Amino acid sequence: MFFIFGVFKRVYAVSRPPHPPNVEDKDASPPLKIGILGAAAIAPHALVLPAKSHPEVELYAVAARDISRAENFAKKHGFKKWYGGKDGYQDLLDDPAVDMVYNPLPNGLHYEWTMKALASGKHVLLEKPSGNTAEETRRMFSLADQKGLVLLEAFHYRFHPAIQRVRAIIDNGELGAIKEVNAALTLPKGMAGNDNDIRMKYDLGGGAMMDCGCYPLSCVRYLASSNPTAVISATAVRYPRDPRIDTGTTANLTFASSKPGEEPVRSTIRCDFAVPPRWGFIPHWPELSVHAVCERGSIDVFNFVMPVIYHSITVRPDGDVPRTERVYTFEGGKGEEWWSTYRYQLEAFVDKVKGRTPQTWVSREDSIANMEWIEKIYEESGLGSRPQSTYVLPTA
C-alpha cells in the first residue's frame, strides 16, 4: 500500500508541481525567459511542467507553423506570447526577450533551427538525438562555443539520482570490474511509430535507433565509462512502407576492459517501436531495462528512463544476499522526491546558464560520440546514416 501511495504522490506532484515561493532577492538575476520551437507533444512533460516549479525561469513564448495551435498551446500552459505561420519560428528567435530556446522539433530539423537559435544569441536545450549526423552535432557545438552559449542535448535520464547510483555502484568496485552491460527501450506495437508519425519519416531523421535507441546506447556508454571499440553486429527490422526506416534495432558492441589484457566488455542494446502482442492480442509492457554483469555480481535496473514514477536497482553480489535500492534525491543536494528527470535536467541547465556548476552534465564530446555510434550501428545494419541537413548558416 505504501508503494502505491508513493507512486501516486510522485505522479501527482510531477503533473501538478508546486509553484516556487515568492522570495524577494534584490541581488537575484531576472528569470530566464523560455521560448519553445513547435507545440510538440513532449513539451509539456519535458519543459513546461518542470519550469512551473523553477523560480529562475519564465514560460514566455511558443511558436508553431499553425498560429492557432501556438495560441492554444500558449493559453493552455501560461505562455505570454505566441508566434505562428511560415516565419513563426524565426519571429520567436528574433524576440530579444527570449533567453533560452527548447528545440523539440523533428530530428531532421534539429540542426537548422538550433544553428539559427544560437546565431540569434539564445541558449539551447536540444531534444535527443542532437542531429541526424555527428557532423551536424559538431557544428552546433562549435557555434555554441564560438558564441559563448549553452547547448545541451536533453538526455534527461542522466540527471536523475537513480542512474547515477547505478554508475556509483559500478565505479566503487563493490562488484569488481564490469564484464557486460546491456540496455533496452522497447514499446508495444501501436504505442508509437504509426504511419503518420514523424518518427517514421526518413527525411526527418526517423527510425527506432534514432528515437528510442539513442537512450540504451547512451546508457551503456555512460555505465561503461567509455565509448565502444566496435559494432560486432547490428540487425534492423525494416518498416514495410519505407525500408530505409527501422522499427527496431539490435546491436552487439564491445568496450575495452578496464583491466589490460582481459576480454572486452560485451554489450547488447535493443530498441523497438512495435513489439507484437503475445498470442496476437495481449500487449507487451514497455521495456526500459539495464543489466550489468561484473566480476563479483550483477545489477538489474527497471525503468532507467522515467524513474520518478517507479524504478528499482537490484544488486546481486555473488555469495551474498541481493538488495534492492530506489533513489529519488541526492544526499545533501538539490531536488525533491517528486522531481522528474526533466526537472533535474532543467535545474542543471539553468545552473550552467547562470554560471553555476551543475550537478551533472552531458558534454559536447558525449553528444558527438553518441551520434557517431548511432551512425556506425546504422551502417552495420545496412541502413546507413539519416540524411544530413542541407541548411547553411549565412556568414556575416
Side-chain angles (χ1 to χ4, degrees):
M1 182 62 72
F2 180 77
F3 149 70
I4 296 174
F5 175 74
V7 171
F8 277 103
K9 181 180 178 182
R10 288 189 299 275
V11 171
Y12 181 86
V14 168
S15 60
R16 296 171 179 80
H19 290 278
N22 292 320
V23 179
E24 289 291 336
D25 185 350
K26 295 180 180 179
D27 297 324
S29 57
L32 299 173
K33 288 183 169 62
I34 297 173
I36 296 182
L37 295 175
I42 192 176
H45 301 288
L47 189 62
V48 173
L49 289 172
K52 289 184 181 295
S53 66
H54 199 302
E56 295 180 282
V57 298
E58 178 184 334
L59 296 172
Y60 178 73
V62 61
R65 298 295 191 191
D66 182 341
I67 185 68
S68 61
R69 187 179 180 197
E71 181 180 3
N72 291 338
F73 188 96
K75 290 180 176 178
K76 179 178 179 180
H77 297 293
F79 286 78
K80 293 183 176 179
K81 299 182 73 174
W82 56 88
Y83 297 96
K86 65 181 183 64
D87 297 322
Y89 294 165
Q90 189 60 52
D91 290 341
L92 183 146
L93 298 182
D94 290 340
D95 187 332
V98 173
D99 299 301
M100 62 167 281
V101 166
Y102 172 53
N103 183 354
L105 295 170
N107 301 333
L109 299 178
H110 283 183
Y111 176 75
E112 176 180 352
W113 288 102
T114 296
M115 293 294 278
K116 288 179 176 178
L118 294 168
S120 298
K122 316 301 185 186
H123 304 286
V124 180
L125 177 60
L126 173 61
E127 262 307 326
K128 35 53 58 187
S130 52
N132 270 9
T133 66
E135 181 57 29
E136 289 183 3
T137 306
R138 286 190 194 91
R139 293 177 186 177
M140 288 186 283
F141 276 98
S142 292
L143 183 59
D145 290 346
Q146 178 187 328
K147 294 281 188 177
L149 296 167
V150 174
L151 172 60
L152 174 65
E153 184 180 18
F155 273 114
H156 55 97
Y157 82 96
R158 287 273 295 273
F159 296 85
H160 196 274
I163 198 65
Q164 294 190 37
R165 174 57 184 155
V166 179
R167 168 78 176 260
I169 294 170
I170 292 172
D171 288 353
N172 69 20
E174 173 189 350
L175 303 177
I178 192 168
K179 295 294 185 181
E180 180 178 344
V181 57
N182 308 318
L185 200 170
T186 69
L187 304 173
K189 188 174 183 178
M191 189 172 178
N194 59 55
D195 292 340
N196 295 320
D197 196 320
I198 59 170
R199 290 171 286 192
M200 309 310 288
K201 308 297 183 185
Y202 177 76
D203 292 339
L204 292 178
M209 188 64 219
M210 290 287 282
D211 187 75
C212 55
C214 64
Y215 280 106
L217 175 61
S218 167
C219 186
V220 296
R221 291 178 49 253
Y222 175 63
L223 296 180
S225 299
S226 65
N227 288 314
T229 54
V231 180
I232 303 303
S233 65
T235 305
V237 178
R238 298 185 182 228
Y239 181 42
R241 296 197 175 192
D242 187 343
R244 299 172 298 177
I245 293 288
D246 59 313
T247 61
T249 289
T250 298
N252 294 303
L253 315 171
T254 55
F255 292 81
S257 172
S258 61
K259 295 186 175 181
E262 295 208 353
E263 289 292 315
V265 175
R266 301 182 304 277
S267 178
T268 298
I269 63 168
R270 293 185 295 113
C271 61
D272 204 316
F273 276 150
V275 178
R278 298 181 182 92
W279 303 297
F281 66 96
I282 301 177
H284 281 263
W285 282 100
E287 183 181 0
L288 308 98
S289 65
V290 176
H291 176 65
V293 178
C294 301
E295 290 176 312
R296 298 187 299 275
S298 64
I299 308 170
D300 285 286
V301 184
F302 170 75
N303 197 7
F304 75 98
V305 177
M306 294 296 292
V308 67
I309 298 171
Y310 176 79
H311 69 274
S312 61
I313 304 166
T314 303
V315 184
R316 296 183 175 88
D318 292 345
D320 205 344
V321 178
R323 69 178 190 273
T324 298
E325 302 183 18
R326 298 175 185 87
V327 189
Y328 295 97
T329 58
F330 294 106
E331 186 174 347
K334 294 180 180 179
E336 302 287 344
E337 184 174 320
W338 55 267
W339 276 23
S340 68
T341 52
Y342 297 113
R343 179 60 179 82
Y344 278 109
Q345 176 180 257
L346 181 60
E347 191 73 23
F349 187 87
V350 173
D351 280 345
K352 192 79 166 179
V353 172
K354 295 279 188 177
R356 303 186 292 257
T357 301
Q359 191 276 333
T360 195
W361 196 248
V362 177
S363 70
R364 164 199 179 113
E365 294 76 17
D366 196 341
S367 292
I368 293 171
N370 214 61
M371 277 308 311
E372 287 176 336
W373 287 96
I374 287 174
E375 289 193 88
K376 289 179 181 182
I377 289 169
Y378 267 133
E379 187 69 27
E380 181 64 26
S381 74
L383 292 183
S385 300
R386 310 297 85 180
Q388 183 154 307
S389 173
T390 58
Y391 174 72
V392 177
L393 184 70
T395 56

